[in-house]
Amino acid sequence: MKENEASATAYAVLQGLLYVGRKPRYKGLVADDVLTAGQTILTATEEGRKRLRQLDSALFRTIVPLMETLLVPGLTLHYALRKRFIEDAVLSAIETEGVTQVVNLGAGFDTLAWRLHERFPEVNFIEIDHPATGEAKAQALGERMAAAENLHQLSVDFTRQTLAARLGGFSGFQPERTTLYICEGVMAYLTEEQVTEMLETLVTLSQGAAPWLVCTCVEPLEAPENNTGPLLGTYLRMKGESIHWRIAHGTIKSFLADRGYEMTDLGTVTEFKIRYLSGIDHGVTHGGEYGVLARARQ
């Protein structure tokens, strides 16, 4: 994914999260601090302010469900669900598994590290992303981000640089710590060979305890759970984006095992409904992407 596409995606995801979080029935799904941080980031740029104005538009709120039906039904709700899954995994890893470093690969405008770095001052947080999104976020969050000793940003252009070289040579990275890596909405744009290389790199980088990984994966088009809309393929081609890697949730455990990882949690659309939407009149949910938590074997 190119830098301008990554930036557009970052805006779209954050806008979608705020779109869901403003609905009263999802108050327990999207926390107030998520909404506050998200609004702060969007307010700092002209593109962000435009998207905030759209959220206030009745016409925009009417169009979103129609666009989702044609492209990805339930997509904005899915953004909120997958972020809750990832946040729960990170909190559990910190509080019960001894994780003291969290590295977000392709952080975009995600606010998790920003929201947790003061709550867990003993944990080292690193966000990795394209320069454009990193600079926009730093501009929005200002001096508080710059002054945080346990919150770091690392700009990486993966068309020219490798994760091993950039993160391995970054002074803010502490390889002896027990580390959890976040890889949200990234793997689908890699080839299977690149995914395998990344999994190997995470182990190589972590010189202490075996690393953890929480990530999202995309179901094959023919999977029963995959309810992507009829125009998604056309839309992605127009944007110049391509899904390179898909894997069924029923086979991800063996895929990871073959590469030295043990899966410990699986967040399918059915599981998301059970954990986060019980008792909520939620409508359509997206079934084409799921969450995975795994740890490299010692």
Side-chain angles (χ1 to χ4, degrees):
M1 187 185 295
K2 297 178 181 179
E3 183 167 321
N4 60 338
E5 294 165 356
S7 181
T9 299
Y11 278 111
V13 172
L14 187 52
Q15 183 186 43
L17 192 62
L18 267 60
Y19 170 81
V20 172
R22 289 184 175 190
K23 297 182 178 182
R25 67 179 180 271
Y26 296 128
K27 184 173 180 58
L29 181 62
V30 183
D32 288 343
D33 62 342
V34 175
L35 298 177
T36 300
Q39 179 127 353
T40 299
I41 291 172
L42 292 183
T43 301
T45 65
E46 180 53 41
E47 176 64 22
R49 291 189 290 273
K50 181 188 78 172
R51 289 177 179 269
L52 286 173
R53 291 193 296 270
Q54 289 175 337
L55 288 173
D56 293 330
S57 164
L59 176 61
F60 177 81
R61 295 194 300 271
T62 300
I63 291 175
V64 169
L66 174 61
M67 293 299 296
E68 289 192 358
T69 298
L70 296 174
L71 299 173
V72 185
L75 179 61
T76 50
L77 176 57
H78 176 71
Y79 288 153
L81 293 169
R82 79 182 189 188
K83 286 191 176 295
R84 269 296 300 274
F85 176 83
I86 290 170
E87 182 161 346
D88 286 353
V90 171
L91 289 173
S92 177
I94 292 173
E95 293 171 348
T96 67
E97 301 294 343
V99 164
T100 59
Q101 183 164 247
V102 176
V103 179
N104 195 338
L105 308 171
F109 289 152
D110 183 73
T111 64
L112 183 60
W114 166 250
R115 291 183 291 109
L116 295 185
H117 82 278
E118 290 183 340
R119 178 176 169 184
F120 297 103
E122 75 283 3
V123 177
N124 191 44
F125 294 91
I126 301 172
E127 296 187 334
I128 298 177
D129 210 343
H130 286 285
T133 49
E135 290 170 7
K137 184 187 287 187
Q139 175 185 341
L141 300 178
E143 295 181 359
R144 286 180 62 192
M145 174 172 275
E149 295 183 357
N150 65 325
L151 177 59
H152 314 276
Q153 285 187 306
L154 176 63
S155 296
V156 179
D157 182 351
F158 285 115
T159 64
R160 303 176 182 178
Q161 302 163 311
T162 66
L163 177 63
R166 288 292 287 144
L167 185 58
F170 180 52
S171 61
F173 178 65
Q174 301 176 37
E176 71 280 1
R177 287 178 177 250
T178 303
T179 302
L180 181 146
Y181 296 90
I182 301 170
C183 194
E184 178 189 2
V186 172
M187 286 186 170
Y189 297 103
L190 307 178
T191 64
E192 182 174 315
E193 291 74 19
Q194 289 171 327
V195 171
T196 297
E197 181 181 359
M198 183 187 72
L199 294 174
E200 294 171 348
T201 297
L202 301 186
V203 174
T204 302
L205 286 169
S206 301
Q207 299 173 8
W212 290 82
L213 170 68
V214 59
C215 63
T216 58
C217 300
V218 173
E219 296 273 15
L221 288 173
E222 66 275 10
E225 300 83 3
N226 197 339
N227 59 340
T228 52
L231 298 183
L232 179 62
T234 301
Y235 175 74
L236 291 176
R237 286 191 295 273
M238 289 175 59
K239 291 185 64 179
E241 294 183 24
S242 298
I243 302 297
H244 296 298
W245 187 60
R246 299 175 180 270
I247 184 168
H249 72 270
T251 60
I252 186 64
K253 182 177 181 179
S254 61
F255 176 88
L256 291 170
D258 290 343
R259 288 152 182 81
Y261 285 74
E262 179 182 359
M263 187 179 76
T264 61
D265 195 12
L266 180 65
T268 62
V269 62
T270 300
E271 189 62 31
F272 283 168
K273 290 178 183 179
I274 293 172
R275 295 186 193 184
Y276 307 121
L277 296 176
S278 179
I280 298 175
D281 181 16
H282 55 76
V284 178
T285 53
H286 177 49
E289 185 181 46
Y290 56 95
V292 177
L293 177 64
R295 189 178 192 185
R297 290 194 289 268
Q298 296 280 4

